[in-house]
Amino acid sequence: MLSRADTHRLPLVLGFAVFLIAVFLLVPFLISVTGRWNFYFTLTSVALLSVASAGVWLTFYIGRINIGQGAFALIGAYVSAILVTKAGVSFWVSLPAAGLFAGMVAIVIGLPILRLRGVYFAMITLVLTEVVRLTALALPITNGAKGIVSIPLPGELSLFGITIIPDFATIENPKLAFYYTACVLMVVCFASMYRIVNSRLGQLCRSMQQNEELASSVGVNIAYLRVIVFAISSFFGGLGGAMFGAIAQSVYPSSFVVKDSIDFMLNCFLGGLGYVFGPMLGTLVLYFGWDLLFELGRYQLLVYSGTLILLILVLPNGLLSIRFDRIRGLWK
Amino acid sequence: MEQVIVNGVYLGSQYAMIALGLTLIFALMNVLNFAHGQMYVIGGFVTYTFYGQFGLPFVLALLMSCVTLAVLGALIEKFLFGPVIRRSAREESTMLLAAGIAFLLDAVILLVFGEKQRGVPKIVDGVFNWDFRIIIPYDRILICFLAILSIVAFISYMQFTRTGRALRAIAQDRVAAELMGVNVNRYSMIGFALGAMLAGLVGGLLVTITGVNLGMGGPTSIKAFMMVMIGGAGVISGAILGGFILGMLEAVGLAVLSQYGDITYLAIFVALMIFLAIRPQGLMGKPWG
């Protein structure tokens, strides 16, 4: 006999299982059947970009518009690349290190700038993206405009002599390996996001999103909370960026620019700010849509932006709001 | 040093005009207009078409830029921003729309005007030379003068006309303005058109000096955001001040820091971040405006 909480959770668990099967079995199967191997790269990018977008979504969750995720993705990519090429560290160690470093930078920068709100915060994070790009151009360790190239593929990861992840250079199909790695990263990231949102921390975030003064007056330590959330958000950004650098095997100052920062934000908006899985759907639609429209040539941007504007006009609260409205309509 | 100051004033006068349009739109609608840079580029291309290709007088071409952008701005407000602001749950959703419009305008510019760099013949020939201490072409002086004239005209329009008073009332408090009988929807449209028109005007003015190309839109928007932040969002005096300060910083930075490589903008950005950490609302802004 299932308890009430379990029956409540059942659709969620089922949905999660279906999602896992689709991502890890169905997609590779369909790709091998149709032979569109280039889709692997697209879908891997979608998975990684959605990880970074998830971070942006989390800052939205405390009521801040974050247009600076490109900065943290770039920081992550550089930290991982420098660790792998210059210090000879294994990629699997550099990946969390990149995330942690991005998180630490976020704490240092976040302490002053998280005092800003609304468009002020949005604009200063936008400026932050430019700052990081220009810093990467100016610093000697990042190798300026030439960037860091020919980064080796991720090596073997073994624990107590047991190989957990084989060396990517020896795998006959590294594209598939990257796809699986990116998807695992995405699943773990969104699962932890779901956990955060449905925890005490998530409730505190919601109270902040509604009214910061009120939350603070009932004893929520908002100064601490917003820095923590910003650090988590940037951690995701750093992870996504580091993995992206490993796939491209190169990092340039122009790897993540203002356009990318804006894209991360748009992914969240398009998916819907009220839904944890919004950024994933938003990234899929925006990135995949752009790729599919490639065949239109010079009309690509026109059709893309036109569709985007239409979507906003029809669903101003994000793609996922469509389901929400219909269910509520049925209840009435 | 005199040369640096003159360069700063020249840059500042154009920047102030761009920032004015952006801040006006922000004050009225609480919309961060990502497409502002693209509007500026369209203004440049319209002037290029009428003055450079059809051979019409420059003033007439400039007028065409203003009219085109004003109509465009009004349409965008009426059919895009207005409905979305009314219907979305969170105000920030307009940012997605603004970015979408920026992409759309980029696409339109690409299809209509192409991706080449375009320039027009000089409007005035000759170079002003004061004892080799200040060297500045006459056309730059003229453009700078026209820009300052437009700023003065804009401020007097906002101060002394009925429309200007209504716009200022909406910027101060939208609900109160509506209660006092201001037709908020109509004046929002007029305000958006006015902001877009300013972008078009400065685009038209600058095409005579720097020319115009498709890629100028995005960087212009970022610069405009910076100026608005320096001065304080939604405040007219702040936008003008921010424009002149950024122009000055850029001129001084290029003169002083050029020996250390291309770090002028890095220095400006870092200074801006420190400044905003100390004074979040900018020089003239109201807190959390």
Side-chain angles (χ1 to χ4, degrees):
Chain A
M1 187 88 195
L2 291 165
S3 72
R4 259 193 74 176
D6 285 340
T7 47
H8 185 69
R9 273 196 196 137
L10 199 62
L12 192 78
V13 172
L14 267 179
F16 189 60
V18 169
F19 176 75
L20 284 186
I21 291 171
V23 166
F24 287 104
L25 298 174
L26 202 60
V27 168
F29 174 73
L30 283 179
I31 286 178
S32 69
V33 166
T34 55
R36 307 266 326 236
W37 296 100
N38 56 336
F39 272 13
Y40 270 133
F41 181 72
T42 314
L43 287 172
T44 311
S45 306
V46 168
L48 293 175
L49 294 177
S50 69
V51 169
S53 306
V56 179
W57 187 88
L58 207 58
T59 36
F60 269 116
Y61 209 61
I62 58 166
R64 294 286 200 285
I65 309 162
N66 183 354
I67 326 183
Q69 193 69 320
F72 295 103
L74 194 61
I75 290 175
Y78 266 114
V79 167
S80 165
I82 289 169
L83 282 179
V84 169
T85 55
K86 303 227 161 113
V89 178
S90 159
F91 171 74
W92 304 108
V93 178
S94 80
L95 185 63
L100 285 177
F101 189 82
M104 257 151 43
V105 172
I107 290 175
V108 173
I109 294 176
L111 278 173
I113 70 167
L114 277 162
R115 292 167 59 215
L116 305 177
R117 284 181 210 179
V119 279
Y120 290 95
F121 186 77
M123 288 194 279
I124 199 154
T125 44
L126 190 76
V127 170
L128 183 65
T129 318
E130 272 298 287
V131 170
V132 172
R133 187 180 73 86
L134 291 172
T135 313
L137 272 174
L139 282 181
I141 194 167
T142 53
N143 212 4
K146 289 196 286 287
I148 299 175
V149 289
S150 57
I151 303 167
L153 285 169
E156 181 181 300
L157 178 71
S158 55
L159 202 62
F160 309 119
I162 306 160
T163 308
I164 301 172
I165 304 167
D167 192 338
F168 273 39
T170 60
I171 299 177
E172 53 183 304
N173 191 356
K175 272 186 186 166
L176 186 64
F178 271 124
Y179 172 74
Y180 277 128
T181 323
C183 285
V184 168
L185 201 65
M186 177 177 79
V187 169
V188 170
C189 160
F190 276 88
S192 47
M193 280 259 295
Y194 185 82
R195 183 75 192 85
I196 291 172
V197 167
N198 289 297
S199 69
R200 192 180 134 75
L201 184 63
Q203 286 194 330
L204 293 179
C205 290
R206 276 196 294 283
S207 76
M208 245 183 103
Q209 184 192 326
Q210 278 175 359
N211 189 334
E212 267 185 42
E213 281 79 22
L214 193 62
S216 149
S217 74
V218 294
V220 179
N221 188 349
I222 57 167
Y224 171 76
L225 194 67
R226 62 194 181 195
V227 170
I228 291 294
V229 169
F230 192 51
I232 298 174
S233 145
S234 308
F235 178 80
F236 286 153
L239 280 189
M243 192 76 205
F244 221 94
I247 292 176
Q249 292 189 282
S250 57
V251 186
Y252 304 97
S254 56
S255 291
F256 292 98
V257 290
V258 169
K259 167 89 172 46
D260 297 279
S261 281
I262 294 178
D263 279 348
F264 289 136
M265 179 193 72
L266 294 187
N267 293 338
C268 299
F269 273 130
L270 192 67
L273 294 178
Y275 313 91
V276 180
F277 299 103
M280 203 195 291
L281 185 69
T283 315
L284 184 73
V285 171
L286 271 187
Y287 195 88
F288 217 59
W290 174 251
D291 246 34
L292 285 181
L293 290 176
F294 184 74
E295 281 152 28
L296 294 175
R298 56 193 301 219
Y299 295 100
Q300 185 185 20
L301 189 60
L302 188 71
V303 176
Y304 176 79
S305 53
T307 321
L308 192 64
I309 291 175
L310 270 182
L311 274 177
I312 307 160
L313 282 176
V314 180
L315 296 166
N317 298 324
L319 285 177
L320 283 172
S321 64
I322 189 171
R323 187 197 53 169
F324 186 65
D325 283 337
R326 204 194 296 152
I327 291 174
R328 215 170 43 182
L330 286 176
W331 275 103
K332 271 176 190 164
Chain B
M1 199 62 218
E2 295 93 339
Q3 179 72 45
V4 173
I5 293 174
V6 168
N7 285 351
V9 170
Y10 159 72
L11 276 173
S13 63
Q14 307 156 6
Y15 284 176
M17 274 184 78
I18 303 178
L20 266 182
L22 189 72
T23 215
L24 178 68
I25 291 174
F26 176 75
L28 293 177
M29 324 265 304
N30 222 358
V31 163
L32 199 54
N33 187 14
F34 279 109
H36 209 72
Q38 276 76 11
M39 291 176 169
Y40 154 88
V41 172
I42 291 183
F45 271 117
V46 170
T47 300
Y48 159 76
T49 311
F50 282 97
Y51 174 62
Q53 289 199 304
F54 298 165
L56 289 172
F58 180 65
V59 180
L60 210 62
L62 215 53
L63 204 66
M64 286 307 295
S65 278
C66 294
V67 172
T68 314
L69 263 297
V71 170
L72 189 70
L75 291 177
I76 287 176
E77 203 286 327
K78 178 110 180 110
F79 292 108
L80 298 175
F81 276 111
V84 169
I85 288 176
R86 275 194 295 279
R87 289 176 44 215
S88 64
R90 285 178 71 167
E91 222 172 29
E92 297 98 319
S93 298
T94 54
M95 291 180 98
L96 177 60
L97 181 63
I101 291 173
F103 292 151
L104 183 70
L105 292 185
D106 256 341
V108 170
I109 296 169
L110 179 68
L111 289 176
V112 177
F113 299 107
E115 54 199 311
K116 287 203 187 80
Q117 163 83 21
R118 301 287 188 189
V120 294
K122 271 179 179 288
I123 28 177
V124 206
D125 279 324
V127 175
F128 175 79
N129 185 344
W130 181 53
D131 203 17
F132 286 98
R133 285 156 83 182
I134 296 175
I135 302 171
I136 184 163
Y138 280 121
D139 57 348
R140 293 200 179 206
I141 300 177
L142 181 67
I143 296 299
C144 181
F145 177 71
L146 283 178
I148 292 174
L149 198 70
S150 326
I151 293 172
V152 172
F154 175 76
I155 293 176
S156 1
Y157 182 76
M158 290 299 279
Q159 284 298 332
F160 301 120
T161 63
R162 205 180 150 75
T163 319
R165 206 157 62 228
L167 290 177
R168 278 185 295 138
I170 295 176
Q172 209 169 53
D173 191 324
R174 208 181 168 81
V175 178
E178 194 162 18
L179 288 173
M180 296 301 123
V182 177
N183 186 344
V184 169
N185 287 337
R186 187 164 145 238
Y187 280 108
S188 291
M189 195 170 97
I190 293 176
F192 206 104
L194 207 58
M197 193 189 88
L198 279 173
L201 181 60
V202 68
L205 284 176
L206 277 188
V207 74
T208 58
I209 293 169
T210 53
V212 63
N213 68 56
L214 177 62
M216 283 163 81
T220 308
S221 292
I222 294 178
K223 274 189 193 169
F225 289 163
M226 286 174 57
M227 298 174 236
V228 166
M229 273 194 291
I230 295 173
V235 189
I236 288 174
S237 57
I240 297 171
L241 206 58
F244 276 101
I245 289 176
L246 186 70
M248 238 3 143
L249 284 178
E250 212 179 298
V252 172
L254 286 176
V256 178
L257 294 174
S258 58
Q259 50 195 340
Y260 304 106
D262 195 12
I263 58 167
T264 307
Y265 256 84
L266 184 59
I268 293 179
F269 281 134
V270 172
L272 180 65
M273 291 190 66
I274 296 170
F275 167 70
L276 281 180
I278 299 164
R279 195 172 164 80
Q281 71 270 37
L283 286 175
M284 301 294 201
K286 43 193 174 182
W288 317 135

